Amino acid sequence: MGDTHADNSALTGKVLSHAIWAEDGRRLAEFYAAALGAQVSEPYRDEDGNPAAFPVWVGDMMYVFWSATSFKAPTWPQDELPFHMDIRFDDIEAAEKRLLELGATKPAHQPGGGHWTVLLDPSGQPFCISSTR
């Protein structure tokens, strides 16, 4: 009798990219590229030929930062978040200083209990940094 379970490996997806909206996709792409030690790649263009989405490759993962004219940053911590990114650094104090120099801000509300630090990226969206593996 044959195997009744089909090989699903062809149907198993792998995440190619994460898309993140901001008022200025280029600025946000430049911020995260600097934070992650990457470069901003050639932008994707809209139907009028204007740069609209800015890819940043980190290994085989792509982050695409879209410029969205209707973008509104969440009011954190009151609003639920449409996305959240955690970034690990070996030297958390040096990383925080560098990210603040790159345009991040540090909100007063820090719920991590010392396990992580919440920062707001230049678009006003929260992300966390930690040294946790």
Side-chain angles (χ1 to χ4, degrees), residues 45-130:
R45 298 184 178 277
D46 65 15
E47 59 276 359
D48 297 322
N50 300 310
F54 304 87
V56 174
W57 283 93
V58 180
D60 60 355
M61 177 63 64
M62 179 175 57
Y63 297 88
V64 182
F65 299 90
W66 290 85
S67 292
T69 57
S70 63
F71 174 80
K72 298 282 186 261
T75 302
W76 188 81
Q78 295 82 7
D79 293 345
E80 292 184 350
L81 302 178
F83 88 96
H84 178 86
M85 190 181 305
D86 293 310
I87 304 174
R88 185 183 64 78
F89 293 94
D90 292 332
D91 185 337
I92 197 69
E93 290 179 19
E96 180 179 330
K97 180 181 178 191
R98 180 168 173 255
L99 292 166
L100 293 171
E101 290 170 354
L102 290 170
T105 57
K106 186 174 180 179
H109 183 64
Q110 293 292 323
H115 298 286
W116 62 81
T117 300
V118 177
L119 297 177
L120 303 179
D121 68 25
S123 74
Q125 297 180 83
F127 69 102
C128 291
I129 59 173
S130 72

Coordinates of all heavy atoms in Angstrom, one line a residue, residues 45-130:
R45 N 10.1 50.9 -7.4 CA 9.5 52.1 -7.8 C 8.0 51.9 -8.0 O 7.5 50.8 -8.2 CB 10.0 52.6 -9.2 CG 11.5 52.9 -9.0 CD 12.2 53.5 -10.2 NE 13.6 53.8 -10.0 CZ 14.0 54.9 -9.4 NH1 13.2 55.8 -9.0 NH2 15.3 55.0 -9.1
D46 N 7.2 53.0 -7.8 CA 5.8 53.0 -7.9 C 5.4 53.1 -9.4 O 6.3 53.1 -10.3 CB 5.1 54.0 -7.1 CG 5.4 55.5 -7.5 OD1 5.9 55.7 -8.6 OD2 5.1 56.4 -6.7
E47 N 4.1 53.1 -9.7 CA 3.6 53.1 -11.0 C 4.1 54.3 -11.8 O 4.1 54.3 -13.0 CB 2.1 52.9 -11.1 CG 1.3 54.0 -10.4 CD 1.2 53.7 -8.9 OE1 1.7 52.7 -8.4 OE2 0.6 54.6 -8.2
D48 N 4.5 55.4 -11.1 CA 4.9 56.6 -11.8 C 6.5 56.7 -11.9 O 7.0 57.7 -12.3 CB 4.5 57.9 -11.0 CG 2.9 58.0 -11.0 OD1 2.3 57.6 -12.1 OD2 2.4 58.4 -10.0
G49 N 7.1 55.6 -11.4 CA 8.6 55.5 -11.5 C 9.3 56.2 -10.3 O 10.5 56.3 -10.3
N50 N 8.6 56.6 -9.3 CA 9.2 57.2 -8.1 C 9.6 56.1 -7.1 O 8.9 55.1 -6.9 CB 8.2 58.1 -7.4 CG 7.7 59.2 -8.3 OD1 8.6 59.9 -9.0 ND2 6.4 59.4 -8.4
P51 N 10.8 56.3 -6.5 CA 11.2 55.3 -5.4 C 10.1 55.2 -4.3 O 9.7 56.3 -3.8 CB 12.5 55.9 -4.9 CG 13.0 56.8 -5.9 CD 11.8 57.4 -6.6
A52 N 9.7 54.0 -4.0 CA 8.6 53.9 -3.1 C 8.9 52.9 -2.0 O 8.4 53.0 -0.9 CB 7.3 53.5 -3.8
A53 N 9.8 51.9 -2.2 CA 10.1 50.9 -1.2 C 11.6 50.6 -1.3 O 12.2 50.5 -2.4 CB 9.3 49.6 -1.6
F54 N 12.2 50.5 -0.1 CA 13.6 50.5 0.0 C 14.0 49.2 0.7 O 13.8 49.0 1.9 CB 14.1 51.7 0.7 CG 13.6 53.0 0.1 CD1 12.4 53.5 0.4 CD2 14.4 53.6 -0.9 CE1 11.9 54.6 -0.3 CE2 13.9 54.7 -1.6 CZ 12.7 55.2 -1.2
P55 N 14.6 48.2 -0.1 CA 15.0 46.9 0.5 C 16.3 47.0 1.2 O 17.3 47.7 0.8 CB 15.0 46.0 -0.7 CG 15.2 46.9 -1.9 CD 14.7 48.2 -1.5
V56 N 16.4 46.2 2.3 CA 17.6 46.0 3.1 C 17.8 44.5 3.3 O 16.9 43.9 3.9 CB 17.6 46.8 4.5 CG1 18.8 46.4 5.3 CG2 17.4 48.3 4.3
W57 N 18.8 44.0 2.7 CA 19.1 42.5 2.9 C 20.0 42.3 4.0 O 21.0 42.9 4.2 CB 19.7 42.0 1.6 CG 18.8 41.8 0.5 CD1 18.5 42.7 -0.5 CD2 17.9 40.6 0.2 NE1 17.5 42.2 -1.4 CE2 17.2 40.9 -0.9 CE3 17.8 39.4 0.9 CZ2 16.3 40.0 -1.5 CZ3 16.9 38.5 0.3 CH2 16.1 38.8 -0.8
V58 N 19.6 41.4 4.9 CA 20.4 40.9 6.0 C 20.4 39.4 5.9 O 19.4 38.7 6.2 CB 19.8 41.3 7.4 CG1 20.6 40.8 8.5 CG2 19.6 42.8 7.5
G59 N 21.6 38.9 5.4 CA 21.7 37.5 5.1 C 20.7 37.2 3.9 O 20.7 37.9 2.9
D60 N 19.8 36.2 4.1 CA 18.9 35.9 3.1 C 17.5 36.4 3.4 O 16.5 36.0 2.8 CB 18.8 34.4 2.8 CG 18.5 33.5 4.0 OD1 18.3 34.1 5.1 OD2 18.3 32.3 3.8
M61 N 17.4 37.3 4.4 CA 16.1 38.0 4.8 C 16.1 39.4 4.3 O 17.1 40.1 4.4 CB 16.0 38.0 6.3 CG 14.7 38.7 6.8 SD 13.2 37.9 6.3 CE 13.3 36.3 7.0
M62 N 15.0 39.8 3.7 CA 14.9 41.1 3.2 C 13.8 41.9 4.0 O 12.8 41.4 4.3 CB 14.4 41.1 1.7 CG 14.2 42.5 1.1 SD 13.9 42.6 -0.7 CE 12.4 41.6 -0.8
Y63 N 14.2 43.1 4.4 CA 13.3 44.0 5.0 C 13.0 45.1 4.0 O 13.9 45.7 3.4 CB 13.9 44.6 6.3 CG 14.2 43.6 7.3 CD1 15.4 42.9 7.3 CD2 13.2 43.2 8.3 CE1 15.7 41.9 8.2 CE2 13.5 42.2 9.2 CZ 14.7 41.6 9.2 OH 15.0 40.6 10.1
V64 N 11.7 45.4 3.7 CA 11.3 46.4 2.8 C 10.6 47.5 3.5 O 9.6 47.3 4.2 CB 10.4 45.8 1.7 CG1 10.0 46.8 0.7 CG2 11.0 44.6 1.0
F65 N 11.1 48.7 3.3 CA 10.6 49.9 4.0 C 9.9 50.7 3.0 O 10.5 51.3 2.1 CB 11.7 50.6 4.7 CG 12.5 49.8 5.7 CD1 13.5 49.0 5.4 CD2 12.0 49.8 7.0 CE1 14.2 48.2 6.3 CE2 12.6 49.0 8.0 CZ 13.7 48.2 7.6
W66 N 8.5 50.8 3.2 CA 7.7 51.4 2.2 C 7.4 52.9 2.7 O 7.1 53.1 3.9 CB 6.3 50.7 2.1 CG 6.4 49.4 1.4 CD1 6.8 48.2 2.0 CD2 6.2 49.1 0.1 NE1 6.7 47.2 1.1 CE2 6.4 47.7 -0.1 CE3 5.8 49.9 -1.0 CZ2 6.2 47.2 -1.4 CZ3 5.7 49.3 -2.2 CH2 5.9 48.0 -2.4
S67 N 7.4 53.8 1.8 CA 6.9 55.1 2.0 C 5.4 55.1 1.9 O 4.9 54.7 0.8 CB 7.5 56.2 1.1 OG 8.9 56.3 1.3
A68 N 4.7 55.5 2.9 CA 3.2 55.5 2.9 C 2.7 56.9 3.3 O 2.9 57.3 4.5 CB 2.7 54.4 3.8
T69 N 2.1 57.6 2.4 CA 1.6 59.0 2.7 C 0.6 59.0 3.8 O 0.5 60.0 4.5 CB 1.0 59.6 1.5 OG1 -0.1 58.8 1.0 CG2 2.1 59.8 0.4
S70 N -0.1 57.9 4.1 CA -1.1 57.9 5.1 C -0.6 57.3 6.4 O -1.4 57.0 7.4 CB -2.4 57.1 4.7 OG -2.0 55.7 4.4
F71 N 0.7 57.0 6.5 CA 1.3 56.4 7.7 C 1.1 57.3 9.0 O 1.3 58.5 8.9 CB 2.8 56.2 7.5 CG 3.5 55.7 8.8 CD1 3.4 54.4 9.1 CD2 4.2 56.6 9.6 CE1 4.0 53.9 10.3 CE2 4.8 56.1 10.7 CZ 4.7 54.8 11.1
K72 N 0.7 56.7 10.0 CA 0.6 57.3 11.4 C 1.3 56.4 12.3 O 1.0 55.2 12.5 CB -0.8 57.5 11.8 CG -1.7 58.4 10.9 CD -1.3 59.9 11.1 CE -2.2 60.8 10.3 NZ -1.7 61.3 9.1
A73 N 2.3 56.9 13.0 CA 3.0 56.2 14.0 C 2.1 55.8 15.2 O 1.2 56.6 15.5 CB 4.2 56.9 14.6
P74 N 2.2 54.6 15.8 CA 1.4 54.3 16.9 C 1.8 55.2 18.1 O 2.9 55.6 18.2 CB 1.7 52.8 17.2 CG 3.1 52.6 16.6 CD 3.2 53.6 15.4
T75 N 0.8 55.4 19.0 CA 1.0 56.0 20.2 C 1.3 54.9 21.2 O 0.4 54.2 21.7 CB -0.2 56.9 20.7 OG1 -0.5 57.8 19.7 CG2 0.1 57.6 22.0
W76 N 2.6 54.8 21.5 CA 3.0 53.6 22.3 C 3.3 54.1 23.7 O 3.8 55.2 23.9 CB 4.3 53.0 21.7 CG 4.6 51.7 22.4 CD1 4.1 50.5 22.2 CD2 5.6 51.6 23.5 NE1 4.7 49.6 23.0 CE2 5.6 50.2 23.8 CE3 6.4 52.5 24.2 CZ2 6.4 49.7 24.9 CZ3 7.2 52.0 25.2 CH2 7.2 50.6 25.5
P77 N 2.8 53.4 24.7 CA 2.3 52.0 24.7 C 0.8 51.9 24.6 O 0.3 50.8 24.7 CB 2.8 51.5 26.1 CG 2.8 52.7 27.0 CD 3.1 53.9 26.1
Q78 N 0.1 53.0 24.4 CA -1.4 52.9 24.4 C -1.9 52.1 23.2 O -2.8 51.3 23.4 CB -2.0 54.3 24.4 CG -1.8 55.1 25.6 CD -0.4 55.8 25.6 OE1 0.3 55.8 24.6 NE2 -0.1 56.4 26.7
D79 N -1.3 52.3 22.0 CA -1.8 51.6 20.8 C -1.2 50.2 20.7 O -0.1 49.9 21.1 CB -1.4 52.3 19.6 CG -2.2 53.7 19.4 OD1 -3.1 53.9 20.2 OD2 -1.7 54.5 18.6
E80 N -2.0 49.3 20.1 CA -1.4 48.0 19.8 C -0.5 48.2 18.6 O -0.7 49.1 17.8 CB -2.6 47.0 19.4 CG -3.4 46.6 20.6 CD -4.5 45.6 20.3 OE1 -4.7 45.3 19.1 OE2 -5.1 45.1 21.2
L81 N 0.5 47.3 18.5 CA 1.5 47.5 17.5 C 1.3 46.7 16.2 O 1.0 45.5 16.4 CB 2.9 47.2 18.0 CG 3.3 48.0 19.3 CD1 4.7 47.5 19.8 CD2 3.4 49.5 19.0
P82 N 1.4 47.3 15.0 CA 1.2 46.5 13.8 C 2.4 45.6 13.6 O 2.3 44.6 12.9 CB 1.1 47.5 12.7 CG 1.8 48.8 13.3 CD 1.6 48.7 14.8
F83 N 3.6 45.9 14.1 CA 4.7 45.0 14.0 C 5.7 45.4 15.2 O 5.5 46.4 15.8 CB 5.5 45.2 12.7 CG 6.5 46.2 12.7 CD1 7.8 46.0 12.9 CD2 6.1 47.6 12.5 CE1 8.8 47.0 12.9 CE2 7.1 48.6 12.5 CZ 8.4 48.3 12.7
H84 N 6.6 44.5 15.4 CA 7.6 44.7 16.5 C 8.9 44.0 16.1 O 8.8 42.9 15.7 CB 7.0 44.2 17.8 CG 8.0 44.4 18.9 ND1 8.1 45.6 19.7 CD2 8.9 43.6 19.4 CE1 9.0 45.4 20.6 NE2 9.6 44.2 20.5
M85 N 10.0 44.7 16.2 CA 11.3 44.1 15.9 C 12.1 44.0 17.2 O 12.2 45.0 17.9 CB 12.0 44.9 14.8 CG 13.2 44.2 14.2 SD 14.1 45.1 12.9 CE 12.8 45.4 11.7
D86 N 12.8 42.9 17.4 CA 13.8 42.8 18.4 C 15.1 42.6 17.8 O 15.3 41.8 16.9 CB 13.5 41.6 19.3 CG 12.2 41.7 20.1 OD1 12.1 42.8 20.8 OD2 11.4 40.8 20.1
I87 N 16.1 43.4 18.2 CA 17.5 43.3 17.7 C 18.4 43.0 18.8 O 18.4 43.7 19.8 CB 17.9 44.6 17.0 CG1 16.8 45.0 15.9 CG2 19.3 44.5 16.3 CD1 17.1 46.3 15.2
R88 N 19.3 42.0 18.6 CA 20.3 41.6 19.6 C 21.6 42.2 19.3 O 22.1 42.3 18.1 CB 20.4 40.1 19.6 CG 21.4 39.6 20.8 CD 21.6 38.1 20.7 NE 22.3 37.7 19.5 CZ 23.6 37.8 19.3 NH1 24.4 38.3 20.2 NH2 24.1 37.3 18.2
F89 N 22.3 42.7 20.3 CA 23.6 43.3 20.2 C 24.5 42.7 21.3 O 24.0 42.5 22.4 CB 23.6 44.8 20.4 CG 22.9 45.6 19.3 CD1 21.6 45.9 19.4 CD2 23.6 45.9 18.1 CE1 20.9 46.6 18.4 CE2 23.0 46.6 17.1 CZ 21.6 47.0 17.2
D90 N 25.8 42.5 21.0 CA 26.7 42.0 22.1 C 26.9 43.1 23.1 O 27.0 42.8 24.3 CB 28.0 41.5 21.5 CG 27.8 40.3 20.6 OD1 26.9 39.5 20.9 OD2 28.6 40.1 19.7
D91 N 27.1 44.4 22.7 CA 27.3 45.5 23.6 C 26.1 46.4 23.6 O 26.0 47.3 22.8 CB 28.6 46.2 23.2 CG 29.0 47.3 24.2 OD1 28.1 47.8 24.9 OD2 30.2 47.7 24.2
I92 N 25.2 46.1 24.5 CA 23.9 46.8 24.5 C 24.0 48.3 24.8 O 23.3 49.1 24.2 CB 22.9 46.1 25.5 CG1 21.5 46.5 25.1 CG2 23.2 46.4 26.9 CD1 20.9 46.0 23.9
E93 N 24.9 48.7 25.6 CA 25.1 50.1 25.9 C 25.6 50.9 24.8 O 25.1 52.0 24.4 CB 26.0 50.3 27.2 CG 25.3 49.9 28.5 CD 26.2 50.0 29.7 OE1 27.2 50.8 29.6 OE2 26.0 49.4 30.7
A94 N 26.6 50.3 24.1 CA 27.2 51.0 22.9 C 26.1 51.0 21.8 O 26.0 52.0 21.0 CB 28.4 50.2 22.4
A95 N 25.4 49.9 21.6 CA 24.3 49.9 20.6 C 23.3 50.9 20.9 O 22.9 51.6 19.9 CB 23.7 48.5 20.6
E96 N 22.8 51.1 22.1 CA 21.8 52.1 22.4 C 22.3 53.5 22.1 O 21.6 54.3 21.4 CB 21.4 52.0 23.9 CG 20.4 53.1 24.2 CD 20.0 53.0 25.7 OE1 20.0 51.9 26.3 OE2 19.6 54.1 26.2
K97 N 23.5 53.8 22.4 CA 24.1 55.1 22.1 C 24.2 55.3 20.6 O 23.8 56.4 20.1 CB 25.5 55.2 22.7 CG 26.2 56.5 22.5 CD 27.6 56.6 23.1 CE 28.2 57.9 22.7 NZ 29.6 58.0 23.0
R98 N 24.6 54.3 19.9 CA 24.7 54.5 18.4 C 23.3 54.6 17.8 O 23.1 55.5 16.9 CB 25.4 53.2 17.8 CG 25.5 53.3 16.3 CD 26.5 52.2 15.8 NE 26.5 52.1 14.4 CZ 25.8 51.2 13.7 NH1 25.2 50.2 14.3 NH2 25.9 51.2 12.4
L99 N 22.3 53.9 18.2 CA 21.0 54.0 17.7 C 20.4 55.3 18.0 O 19.7 55.9 17.1 CB 20.1 52.8 18.2 CG 20.5 51.4 17.7 CD1 19.8 50.4 18.5 CD2 20.3 51.3 16.2
L100 N 20.6 55.9 19.1 CA 20.1 57.2 19.4 C 20.8 58.2 18.6 O 20.2 59.2 18.1 CB 20.4 57.5 20.9 CG 19.5 56.7 21.9 CD1 20.0 56.9 23.3 CD2 18.1 57.0 21.8
E101 N 22.1 58.1 18.3 CA 22.8 59.0 17.3 C 22.2 58.9 15.9 O 22.2 59.8 15.2 CB 24.3 58.6 17.3 CG 25.0 59.0 18.6 CD 26.4 58.5 18.7 OE1 26.9 57.7 17.8 OE2 27.1 58.8 19.7
L102 N 21.8 57.7 15.6 CA 21.2 57.4 14.2 C 19.8 58.0 14.1 O 19.2 58.0 13.0 CB 21.2 55.9 13.9 CG 22.6 55.3 13.6 CD1 22.5 53.8 13.5 CD2 23.2 55.9 12.3
G103 N 19.2 58.4 15.2 CA 17.8 59.0 15.1 C 16.7 58.3 15.9 O 15.6 58.7 15.9
A104 N 17.1 57.2 16.6 CA 16.1 56.6 17.5 C 15.9 57.5 18.8 O 16.7 58.4 19.0 CB 16.6 55.2 18.0
T105 N 14.8 57.3 19.4 CA 14.5 58.0 20.7 C 14.2 56.9 21.7 O 13.8 55.8 21.4 CB 13.4 59.0 20.6 OG1 12.2 58.4 20.1 CG2 13.8 60.1 19.6
K106 N 14.3 57.3 23.0 CA 14.1 56.3 24.1 C 12.9 56.8 24.9 O 13.0 57.9 25.6 CB 15.3 56.2 25.0 CG 15.1 55.1 26.1 CD 16.4 54.9 26.8 CE 16.3 53.9 27.9 NZ 17.6 53.7 28.6
P107 N 11.8 56.1 24.8 CA 10.6 56.5 25.6 C 10.8 56.3 27.1 O 11.6 55.4 27.5 CB 9.5 55.7 25.0 CG 10.1 54.4 24.6 CD 11.5 54.9 24.1
A108 N 10.0 57.0 27.9 CA 10.1 56.8 29.4 C 9.6 55.4 29.8 O 10.2 54.8 30.7 CB 9.3 57.9 30.1
H109 N 8.6 54.9 29.1 CA 8.0 53.6 29.4 C 8.9 52.5 29.0 O 9.2 52.3 27.8 CB 6.6 53.5 28.8 CG 5.9 52.2 29.1 ND1 5.5 51.9 30.4 CD2 5.5 51.1 28.4 CE1 4.9 50.7 30.4 NE2 4.9 50.2 29.2
Q110 N 9.5 51.7 30.0 CA 10.4 50.7 29.7 C 9.9 49.4 30.4 O 10.3 49.2 31.6 CB 11.8 51.1 30.1 CG 12.4 52.2 29.3 CD 12.8 51.8 27.9 OE1 13.2 50.6 27.6 NE2 12.6 52.7 27.0
P111 N 9.1 48.6 29.8 CA 8.5 47.5 30.5 C 9.4 46.2 30.6 O 8.9 45.2 31.1 CB 7.3 47.2 29.6 CG 7.7 47.6 28.2 CD 8.6 48.8 28.4
G112 N 10.6 46.3 30.1 CA 11.4 45.0 30.0 C 12.0 44.6 31.3 O 12.6 43.5 31.3
G113 N 11.9 45.4 32.4 CA 12.5 44.9 33.6 C 14.0 44.7 33.5 O 14.5 43.9 34.2
G114 N 14.7 45.4 32.6 CA 16.1 45.3 32.5 C 16.5 44.2 31.5 O 17.7 44.1 31.2
H115 N 15.5 43.4 31.0 CA 15.9 42.4 30.0 C 16.0 42.9 28.6 O 16.7 42.3 27.8 CB 14.8 41.3 30.0 CG 14.7 40.6 31.3 ND1 15.6 39.7 31.8 CD2 13.7 40.7 32.3 CE1 15.2 39.2 33.0 NE2 14.1 39.8 33.3
W116 N 15.4 44.0 28.3 CA 15.5 44.7 27.0 C 15.2 46.1 27.2 O 14.7 46.6 28.2 CB 14.5 44.0 26.0 CG 13.1 44.2 26.3 CD1 12.3 45.3 26.1 CD2 12.2 43.2 26.9 NE1 11.0 45.0 26.5 CE2 10.9 43.8 27.0 CE3 12.4 41.9 27.3 CZ2 9.9 43.1 27.6 CZ3 11.4 41.2 27.9 CH2 10.1 41.8 28.0
T117 N 15.5 46.9 26.2 CA 15.3 48.3 26.1 C 14.4 48.6 25.0 O 14.7 48.2 23.8 CB 16.6 49.1 26.0 OG1 17.5 48.8 27.1 CG2 16.4 50.6 26.0
V118 N 13.4 49.4 25.2 CA 12.5 49.8 24.1 C 13.0 51.2 23.5 O 13.3 52.1 24.3 CB 11.0 50.0 24.6 CG1 10.2 50.6 23.4 CG2 10.5 48.8 25.2
L119 N 13.2 51.2 22.2 CA 13.5 52.5 21.5 C 12.4 52.7 20.5 O 11.7 51.8 20.1 CB 14.9 52.4 20.9 CG 16.1 52.2 21.8 CD1 17.3 52.0 21.0 CD2 16.2 53.3 22.8
L120 N 12.3 54.0 20.0 CA 11.4 54.3 18.9 C 12.3 54.6 17.7 O 13.2 55.4 17.8 CB 10.5 55.5 19.3 CG 9.7 55.4 20.5 CD1 8.9 56.7 20.8 CD2 8.7 54.2 20.4
D121 N 12.0 54.0 16.6 CA 12.8 54.2 15.4 C 12.4 55.6 14.9 O 11.5 56.3 15.4 CB 12.6 53.1 14.4 CG 11.3 53.0 13.7 OD1 10.5 54.0 13.7 OD2 10.9 51.9 13.3
P122 N 13.1 56.1 13.8 CA 12.8 57.5 13.3 C 11.4 57.7 12.9 O 10.9 58.8 12.8 CB 13.8 57.6 12.2 CG 15.0 56.8 12.6 CD 14.3 55.6 13.2
S123 N 10.6 56.6 12.6 CA 9.2 56.7 12.2 C 8.3 56.8 13.4 O 7.1 56.9 13.2 CB 8.8 55.6 11.2 OG 8.7 54.4 11.9
G124 N 8.9 56.6 14.6 CA 8.1 56.5 15.8 C 7.6 55.2 16.2 O 6.8 55.1 17.2
Q125 N 8.0 54.1 15.6 CA 7.6 52.8 15.9 C 8.5 52.1 16.9 O 9.8 52.2 16.7 CB 7.5 52.0 14.6 CG 6.4 52.5 13.6 CD 6.3 51.8 12.4 OE1 5.6 50.8 12.4 NE2 7.0 52.2 11.3
P126 N 8.0 51.5 17.9 CA 8.9 50.8 18.9 C 9.6 49.6 18.4 O 9.1 48.9 17.5 CB 7.9 50.4 20.0 CG 6.6 51.1 19.7 CD 6.6 51.4 18.3
F127 N 10.8 49.4 18.9 CA 11.5 48.2 18.7 C 12.4 48.0 19.9 O 12.5 48.9 20.7 CB 12.4 48.2 17.4 CG 13.6 49.2 17.5 CD1 14.9 48.7 17.7 CD2 13.4 50.5 17.3 CE1 15.9 49.6 17.7 CE2 14.5 51.4 17.3 CZ 15.8 50.9 17.5
C128 N 12.8 46.7 20.1 CA 13.6 46.5 21.4 C 15.0 46.0 21.0 O 15.2 45.4 20.0 CB 12.9 45.3 22.2 SG 11.3 45.8 22.8
I129 N 15.9 46.4 21.9 CA 17.3 45.9 21.8 C 17.6 45.1 23.1 O 17.1 45.5 24.2 CB 18.3 47.0 21.5 CG1 18.2 48.1 22.7 CG2 18.0 47.7 20.2 CD1 19.3 49.1 22.6
S130 N 18.4 44.1 23.0 CA 18.8 43.3 24.1 C 20.1 42.6 23.7 O 20.5 42.5 22.6 CB 17.7 42.3 24.5 OG 17.6 41.3 23.6

